[in-house]
Amino acid sequence: MSTHLAAALVVFCLLQIFIVAKMGGSLLLHLGIIVAIGGFAVAARGLERRWEILDRSGLSAHGLAVRFRRDLLQLWSASIVGGLLWIPVAIIFRALFG
Protein backbone atom coordinates (compact mmCIF):
# COMPACT_ATOMS: atom_id res chain seq x y z
CA MET A 1 0.00 0.00 0.00
CA SER A 2 2.88 2.38 0.77
CA THR A 3 4.07 2.34 -2.83
CA HIS A 4 0.60 3.09 -4.14
CA LEU A 5 0.14 5.89 -1.60
CA ALA A 6 3.41 7.52 -2.64
CA ALA A 7 2.62 7.22 -6.35
CA ALA A 8 -0.94 8.52 -5.88
CA LEU A 9 0.38 11.53 -3.93
CA VAL A 10 2.83 12.32 -6.74
CA VAL A 11 0.07 12.04 -9.37
CA PHE A 12 -2.23 14.20 -7.23
CA CYS A 13 0.45 16.89 -6.85
CA LEU A 14 1.46 16.91 -10.50
CA LEU A 15 -2.14 17.13 -11.71
CA GLN A 16 -2.82 20.07 -9.43
CA ILE A 17 0.35 21.93 -10.35
CA PHE A 18 -0.11 21.32 -14.08
CA ILE A 19 -3.76 22.37 -14.10
CA VAL A 20 -3.26 25.51 -12.00
CA ALA A 21 -0.22 26.51 -14.09
CA LYS A 22 -2.14 26.04 -17.36
CA MET A 23 -5.12 27.98 -16.04
CA GLY A 24 -2.93 30.94 -15.13
CA GLY A 25 -3.20 30.33 -11.42
CA SER A 26 -2.71 33.08 -8.91
CA LEU A 27 -0.90 32.96 -5.59
CA LEU A 28 -4.18 32.11 -3.85
CA LEU A 29 -4.66 29.02 -6.02
CA HIS A 30 -1.08 27.94 -5.37
CA LEU A 31 -1.68 28.28 -1.63
CA GLY A 32 -4.79 26.16 -2.12
CA ILE A 33 -2.60 23.49 -3.69
CA ILE A 34 -0.45 23.42 -0.56
CA VAL A 35 -3.52 22.95 1.63
CA ALA A 36 -4.91 20.22 -0.65
CA ILE A 37 -1.62 18.33 -0.69
CA GLY A 38 -1.43 18.55 3.10
CA GLY A 39 -4.96 17.17 3.38
CA PHE A 40 -4.17 14.35 0.97
CA ALA A 41 -1.02 13.49 2.93
CA VAL A 42 -2.97 13.31 6.21
CA ALA A 43 -5.59 11.05 4.61
CA ALA A 44 -2.84 8.88 3.11
CA ARG A 45 -1.22 8.47 6.51
CA GLY A 46 -4.57 7.35 7.91
CA LEU A 47 -4.87 4.73 5.18
CA GLU A 48 -1.32 3.59 5.88
CA ARG A 49 -2.17 3.12 9.58
CA ARG A 50 -5.27 1.16 8.58
CA TRP A 51 -3.12 -1.24 6.60
CA GLU A 52 -0.63 -1.61 9.42
CA ILE A 53 -3.53 -2.69 11.66
CA LEU A 54 -5.04 -4.96 8.98
CA ASP A 55 -1.66 -6.59 8.44
CA ARG A 56 -1.52 -7.60 12.10
CA SER A 57 -5.20 -8.57 12.30
CA GLY A 58 -4.80 -12.13 11.07
CA LEU A 59 -7.36 -11.84 8.26
CA SER A 60 -7.25 -14.42 5.53
CA ALA A 61 -5.38 -13.69 2.32
CA HIS A 62 -8.68 -13.43 0.46
CA GLY A 63 -10.09 -10.96 2.99
CA LEU A 64 -6.99 -8.79 2.69
CA ALA A 65 -7.02 -8.99 -1.11
CA VAL A 66 -10.62 -7.76 -1.31
CA ARG A 67 -9.89 -4.84 1.03
CA PHE A 68 -6.67 -4.04 -0.85
CA ARG A 69 -8.42 -3.84 -4.23
CA ARG A 70 -11.22 -1.68 -2.77
CA ASP A 71 -8.75 0.67 -1.09
CA LEU A 72 -6.66 0.93 -4.26
CA LEU A 73 -9.72 1.86 -6.30
CA GLN A 74 -10.69 4.52 -3.78
CA LEU A 75 -7.13 5.83 -3.49
CA TRP A 76 -6.53 6.22 -7.22
CA SER A 77 -10.02 7.63 -7.81
CA ALA A 78 -9.46 10.24 -5.12
CA SER A 79 -6.03 11.06 -6.49
CA ILE A 80 -7.14 11.60 -10.07
CA VAL A 81 -10.56 13.14 -9.41
CA GLY A 82 -9.14 15.33 -6.63
CA GLY A 83 -6.49 16.66 -8.97
CA LEU A 84 -9.01 17.32 -11.73
CA LEU A 85 -11.26 19.27 -9.37
CA TRP A 86 -8.88 22.19 -9.79
CA ILE A 87 -10.24 22.76 -13.31
CA PRO A 88 -13.66 24.11 -12.19
CA VAL A 89 -12.05 25.86 -9.20
CA ALA A 90 -9.62 27.68 -11.48
CA ILE A 91 -12.38 28.55 -13.98
CA ILE A 92 -14.59 29.99 -11.23
CA PHE A 93 -11.67 31.85 -9.70
CA ARG A 94 -10.74 33.36 -13.07
CA ALA A 95 -14.36 34.37 -13.73
CA LEU A 96 -14.66 36.07 -10.34
CA PHE A 97 -11.26 37.73 -10.11
CA GLY A 98 -10.11 38.01 -13.71
Side-chain angles (χ1 to χ4, degrees), residues 23-94:
M23 301 295 281
S26 69
L27 179 60
L28 188 59
L29 286 176
H30 284 90
L31 291 174
I33 288 175
I34 293 169
V35 171
I37 291 170
F40 190 91
V42 169
R45 181 61 190 136
L47 186 60
E48 182 68 25
R49 278 192 211 126
R50 171 176 149 55
W51 274 94
E52 288 171 0
I53 293 168
L54 282 174
D55 189 37
R56 290 179 272 154
S57 70
L59 285 173
S60 68
H62 176 70
L64 287 173
V66 169
R67 286 171 177 79
F68 185 74
R69 283 191 301 271
R70 185 191 64 219
D71 284 353
L72 280 185
L73 179 64
Q74 290 174 350
L75 171 68
W76 283 103
S77 297
S79 176
I80 293 169
V81 171
L84 294 176
L85 285 177
W86 281 103
I87 294 172
V89 169
I91 290 170
I92 292 168
F93 188 83
R94 182 184 284 172

